Amino acid sequence: MSFFEWHAPVPKAHEMGIFKRALKFLLNIQQGAPARRLNWTMTVNPLLDTSSENYHQWGVQKNTLTPENIGRKQHLRVELQTFFRLPSSNAMVFPIRCYLCNFQDLITVPKWGRRLHRVVRDLPVELATYKGFIDNRPMMLDYLGQFDDGLPTSPGVWPDLETEPTLSK
Ligand code: HEM
């Protein structure tokens, strides 16, 4: 498959010209100068392998969310994707490191709690469907809405806390 073919299922981005720019970015990566990008999605239970081959194992777990367990089971998944050009073959190595944080830990940082509520709420239906959480979105919003006090958030990912948050066990 070509770069455009394997990205075909991604909604909206093709019309916006994002994959044309992404391919340029990819082809420009030089030996000795690796690049990185972040991607995010949602994962129920802290599972690292959510490949399509294993969908039959993890897909059904999305049906186990309840208002009582959502804080513990629903995870924001952030993927740190890195791109290394290899010196002899000129091939690309593409590792993906996944970080999972459940909602109850995430909301211990007020800025993250209020921002995640807004991102999940405002994401277009096509993208929430593609990322696999359209059915659970109302329950996620009920949970996260409790932690959105309506204040503005500062730019960037920094937690803006004076002390470390206390995480759940
Ligand atoms: C070796 C390079 C790459 C490979 C093998 C790769 C592979 C993939 C695959 C398999 C998917 C999932 C498609 C599906 O739903 O079936 C995907 C999604 C995606 N890729 Fe790539 N990709 C690469 C590089 C890039 C680059 C350079 C960018 C942007 C700069 C990019 C942006 C995206 C985006 C935005 C999505 C949708 C993810 C989401 O919203 O959850 N990809 N990629």
Coordinates of all heavy atoms in Angstrom, one line a residue, residues 104-148:
Q104 N -9.2 9.3 36.0 CA -9.1 9.8 37.3 C -7.7 10.3 37.7 O -7.6 11.2 38.6 CB -9.6 8.7 38.3 CG -8.7 7.5 38.5 CD -9.4 6.4 39.3 OE1 -10.6 6.3 39.4 NE2 -8.6 5.6 40.0
D105 N -6.7 9.8 37.1 CA -5.4 10.4 37.3 C -5.2 11.7 36.5 O -4.6 12.7 37.0 CB -4.2 9.4 36.8 CG -4.1 8.3 37.9 OD1 -4.6 8.4 39.0 OD2 -3.4 7.3 37.5
L106 N -5.7 11.7 35.3 CA -5.6 12.9 34.5 C -6.3 14.2 35.1 O -5.7 15.3 35.0 CB -6.3 12.6 33.1 CG -5.6 13.2 32.0 CD1 -5.5 12.3 30.8 CD2 -6.4 14.5 31.6
I107 N -7.4 14.0 35.7 CA -8.1 15.1 36.3 C -7.5 15.7 37.6 O -7.9 16.7 38.1 CB -9.6 14.9 36.5 CG1 -9.9 13.6 37.3 CG2 -10.3 14.8 35.1 CD1 -10.0 13.9 38.8
T108 N -6.4 15.0 38.1 CA -5.7 15.5 39.2 C -4.9 16.8 38.8 O -4.5 17.5 39.7 CB -4.8 14.5 39.9 OG1 -3.8 14.1 38.9 CG2 -5.5 13.3 40.4
V109 N -4.7 17.0 37.5 CA -4.2 18.2 37.0 C -5.3 19.1 36.5 O -5.9 18.7 35.4 CB -3.1 18.0 36.0 CG1 -2.6 19.3 35.4 CG2 -2.0 17.2 36.5
P110 N -5.8 20.1 37.2 CA -7.0 20.8 36.7 C -7.0 21.3 35.3 O -8.0 21.1 34.5 CB -7.1 22.0 37.7 CG -6.3 21.6 38.9 CD -5.2 20.6 38.4
K111 N -5.8 21.7 34.8 CA -5.7 22.2 33.4 C -6.0 21.1 32.5 O -6.7 21.2 31.5 CB -4.3 22.8 33.2 CG -4.0 23.1 31.7 CD -2.7 23.7 31.6 CE -2.1 23.6 30.2 NZ -0.8 24.2 30.0
W112 N -5.5 19.9 32.7 CA -5.7 18.7 31.8 C -7.1 18.3 31.9 O -7.7 17.9 30.8 CB -4.8 17.6 32.2 CG -3.3 17.9 32.1 CD1 -2.7 19.0 31.5 CD2 -2.2 17.1 32.5 NE1 -1.4 18.9 31.5 CE2 -1.0 17.7 32.2 CE3 -2.1 15.8 33.2 CZ2 0.3 17.2 32.5 CZ3 -0.9 15.3 33.5 CH2 0.3 16.0 33.1
G113 N -7.7 18.3 33.1 CA -9.1 17.9 33.2 C -10.0 18.8 32.4 O -10.9 18.3 31.6
R114 N -9.9 20.1 32.5 CA -10.8 21.0 31.8 C -10.5 20.9 30.3 O -11.4 21.0 29.5 CB -10.8 22.4 32.4 CG -9.5 23.2 32.4 CD -9.8 24.6 32.8 NE -9.8 24.8 34.3 CZ -8.6 25.2 34.9 NH1 -7.5 25.3 34.3 NH2 -8.7 25.4 36.2
R115 N -9.3 20.8 29.9 CA -9.0 20.8 28.5 C -9.5 19.5 27.8 O -10.0 19.5 26.7 CB -7.5 21.0 28.2 CG -7.2 21.0 26.7 CD -5.8 21.2 26.3 NE -5.3 22.5 26.6 CZ -4.0 22.8 26.5 NH1 -3.1 21.9 26.3 NH2 -3.6 24.1 26.7
L116 N -9.3 18.4 28.5 CA -9.7 17.1 27.9 C -11.2 17.1 27.7 O -11.7 16.7 26.7 CB -9.3 15.9 28.7 CG -9.5 14.6 28.1 CD1 -8.7 14.4 26.8 CD2 -9.2 13.4 29.0
H117 N -11.9 17.7 28.7 CA -13.4 17.8 28.5 C -13.8 18.5 27.3 O -14.6 18.1 26.5 CB -14.0 18.5 29.8 CG -15.5 18.8 29.6 ND1 -15.9 20.1 29.6 CD2 -16.5 18.0 29.4 CE1 -17.3 20.0 29.4 NE2 -17.6 18.8 29.3
R118 N -13.1 19.6 27.0 CA -13.4 20.5 25.8 C -13.0 19.8 24.5 O -13.7 19.9 23.5 CB -12.7 21.8 26.0 CG -13.3 22.6 27.2 CD -12.5 23.8 27.5 NE -12.8 24.2 28.9 CZ -12.2 25.2 29.5 NH1 -11.4 26.0 28.9 NH2 -12.6 25.5 30.8
V119 N -11.9 19.1 24.5 CA -11.4 18.4 23.3 C -12.4 17.3 23.0 O -12.8 17.1 21.8 CB -10.0 17.9 23.5 CG1 -9.6 17.0 22.3 CG2 -9.0 19.0 23.6
V120 N -12.8 16.5 24.0 CA -13.7 15.3 23.7 C -15.0 15.9 23.3 O -15.7 15.4 22.4 CB -13.8 14.4 25.0 CG1 -14.9 13.4 24.8 CG2 -12.4 13.8 25.3
R121 N -15.5 17.0 23.9 CA -16.8 17.5 23.6 C -16.8 18.1 22.2 O -17.8 18.0 21.4 CB -17.1 18.7 24.6 CG -18.5 19.3 24.4 CD -18.5 20.6 25.3 NE -17.5 21.6 24.8 CZ -17.1 22.6 25.6 NH1 -17.6 22.8 26.8 NH2 -16.2 23.5 25.1
D122 N -15.7 18.8 21.8 CA -15.8 19.6 20.5 C -15.2 18.8 19.3 O -15.3 19.3 18.2 CB -15.0 20.9 20.7 CG -15.6 21.7 21.8 OD1 -16.7 21.5 22.2 OD2 -14.9 22.6 22.3
L123 N -14.7 17.6 19.5 CA -14.2 16.8 18.4 C -15.3 16.5 17.4 O -16.4 16.0 17.8 CB -13.5 15.6 18.9 CG -12.6 14.9 17.9 CD1 -11.3 15.7 17.8 CD2 -12.2 13.5 18.4
P124 N -15.1 16.8 16.1 CA -16.2 16.4 15.1 C -16.5 14.9 15.2 O -15.7 14.1 15.5 CB -15.5 16.8 13.7 CG -14.4 17.7 14.0 CD -13.9 17.4 15.4
V125 N -17.8 14.7 14.9 CA -18.4 13.3 15.0 C -17.5 12.3 14.2 O -17.2 11.2 14.7 CB -19.8 13.3 14.5 CG1 -20.3 11.9 14.4 CG2 -20.7 14.1 15.4
E126 N -17.1 12.7 13.0 CA -16.3 11.8 12.2 C -15.0 11.3 12.9 O -14.6 10.2 12.8 CB -15.9 12.4 10.8 CG -17.0 13.0 10.0 CD -17.2 14.4 10.2 OE1 -17.5 14.8 11.4 OE2 -17.2 15.2 9.3
L127 N -14.4 12.3 13.6 CA -13.1 11.9 14.3 C -13.4 11.1 15.5 O -12.6 10.2 15.8 CB -12.3 13.2 14.6 CG -11.7 13.8 13.3 CD1 -11.2 15.2 13.6 CD2 -10.6 12.9 12.8
A128 N -14.4 11.4 16.3 CA -14.7 10.7 17.5 C -15.1 9.2 17.0 O -14.8 8.3 17.7 CB -15.8 11.3 18.3
T129 N -15.7 9.1 15.9 CA -16.1 7.8 15.4 C -14.8 7.0 14.9 O -14.6 5.9 15.3 CB -17.0 7.9 14.1 OG1 -18.2 8.7 14.6 CG2 -17.5 6.5 13.6
Y130 N -14.0 7.7 14.2 CA -12.7 7.1 13.7 C -11.8 6.7 14.9 O -11.3 5.6 14.9 CB -11.9 8.1 12.9 CG -10.5 7.6 12.5 CD1 -10.4 6.6 11.6 CD2 -9.4 8.1 13.1 CE1 -9.1 6.1 11.3 CE2 -8.1 7.6 12.9 CZ -8.0 6.6 11.9 OH -6.8 6.1 11.7
K131 N -11.8 7.5 16.0 CA -11.0 7.2 17.1 C -11.7 6.2 18.0 O -11.1 5.8 19.1 CB -10.6 8.4 17.9 CG -9.5 9.3 17.2 CD -9.2 10.6 18.0 CE -8.3 11.6 17.2 NZ -6.9 11.2 17.2
G132 N -12.9 5.8 17.7 CA -13.5 4.6 18.3 C -14.3 4.9 19.6 O -14.6 4.0 20.4
F133 N -14.6 6.2 19.9 CA -15.2 6.5 21.2 C -16.6 7.2 21.1 O -17.1 7.7 22.1 CB -14.3 7.2 22.2 CG -13.9 8.6 21.8 CD1 -14.7 9.7 22.1 CD2 -12.6 8.8 21.2 CE1 -14.2 11.0 21.8 CE2 -12.2 10.1 20.9 CZ -13.0 11.2 21.2
I134 N -17.2 7.2 19.9 CA -18.4 7.9 19.7 C -19.5 7.4 20.6 O -20.3 8.2 21.2 CB -18.9 7.9 18.2 CG1 -20.0 8.9 17.9 CG2 -19.2 6.5 17.7 CD1 -19.6 10.3 18.0
D135 N -19.6 6.1 20.8 CA -20.7 5.5 21.6 C -20.5 5.9 23.1 O -21.4 6.1 23.8 CB -20.7 4.0 21.5 CG -21.2 3.6 20.1 OD1 -21.7 4.4 19.4 OD2 -21.0 2.4 19.8
N136 N -19.2 5.9 23.5 CA -19.0 6.2 25.0 C -18.8 7.7 25.2 O -18.6 8.1 26.4 CB -17.7 5.5 25.4 CG -18.0 4.0 25.6 OD1 -19.1 3.6 26.0 ND2 -17.0 3.2 25.4
R137 N -18.9 8.6 24.1 CA -18.6 10.0 24.3 C -19.6 10.6 25.4 O -19.1 11.4 26.2 CB -18.7 10.7 23.0 CG -18.6 12.2 23.2 CD -17.9 13.0 22.1 NE -18.6 13.2 20.9 CZ -18.2 13.9 19.9 NH1 -17.0 14.6 20.0 NH2 -18.9 14.1 18.8
P138 N -20.9 10.4 25.4 CA -21.8 11.0 26.4 C -21.3 10.7 27.8 O -21.3 11.6 28.7 CB -23.1 10.4 26.1 CG -23.1 10.0 24.6 CD -21.7 9.6 24.4
M139 N -21.0 9.4 28.0 CA -20.5 9.0 29.4 C -19.2 9.7 29.8 O -19.0 10.1 30.9 CB -20.3 7.5 29.5 CG -20.7 6.9 30.8 SD -20.1 5.2 31.0 CE -21.0 4.4 29.7
M140 N -18.3 9.8 28.8 CA -17.0 10.5 29.0 C -17.3 12.0 29.4 O -16.6 12.5 30.3 CB -16.1 10.4 27.8 CG -15.6 9.0 27.5 SD -15.2 8.7 25.8 CE -13.5 9.3 25.8
L141 N -18.2 12.6 28.7 CA -18.5 14.0 28.9 C -19.2 14.2 30.3 O -18.9 15.2 31.0 CB -19.4 14.6 27.8 CG -18.6 14.7 26.5 CD1 -19.6 15.2 25.4 CD2 -17.4 15.6 26.6
D142 N -20.0 13.3 30.7 CA -20.7 13.4 32.0 C -19.6 13.4 33.1 O -19.6 14.1 34.0 CB -21.6 12.2 32.3 CG -23.0 12.4 31.6 OD1 -23.2 13.6 31.1 OD2 -23.7 11.5 31.5
Y143 N -18.6 12.5 32.9 CA -17.5 12.4 33.9 C -16.6 13.6 33.9 O -16.4 14.2 34.9 CB -16.7 11.1 33.6 CG -15.6 10.9 34.6 CD1 -15.8 10.2 35.8 CD2 -14.3 11.4 34.3 CE1 -14.8 10.1 36.8 CE2 -13.3 11.2 35.3 CZ -13.5 10.6 36.5 OH -12.5 10.4 37.4
L144 N -16.1 13.9 32.7 CA -15.1 15.0 32.6 C -15.8 16.4 32.9 O -15.1 17.3 33.4 CB -14.5 15.0 31.2 CG -13.6 13.8 30.9 CD1 -13.2 13.8 29.4 CD2 -12.3 13.8 31.7
G145 N -17.1 16.5 32.5 CA -17.7 17.8 32.7 C -17.7 18.3 34.2 O -17.6 19.5 34.5
Q146 N -17.6 17.3 35.1 CA -17.6 17.7 36.5 C -16.3 18.4 36.9 O -16.2 19.1 37.9 CB -17.5 16.4 37.4 CG -18.6 15.4 37.2 CD -18.2 14.1 38.0 OE1 -18.4 14.1 39.2 NE2 -17.7 13.1 37.3
F147 N -15.3 18.3 36.0 CA -14.0 18.9 36.3 C -13.6 20.1 35.5 O -12.5 20.6 35.5 CB -12.9 17.8 36.2 CG -13.2 16.6 37.0 CD1 -13.7 15.5 36.4 CD2 -13.0 16.6 38.4 CE1 -14.1 14.4 37.2 CE2 -13.4 15.5 39.2 CZ -13.9 14.4 38.6
D148 N -14.6 20.5 34.7 CA -14.4 21.7 33.8 C -15.1 22.9 34.5 O -16.3 23.0 34.5 CB -14.9 21.5 32.4 CG -14.6 22.6 31.5 OD1 -14.1 23.7 31.9 OD2 -14.8 22.5 30.3

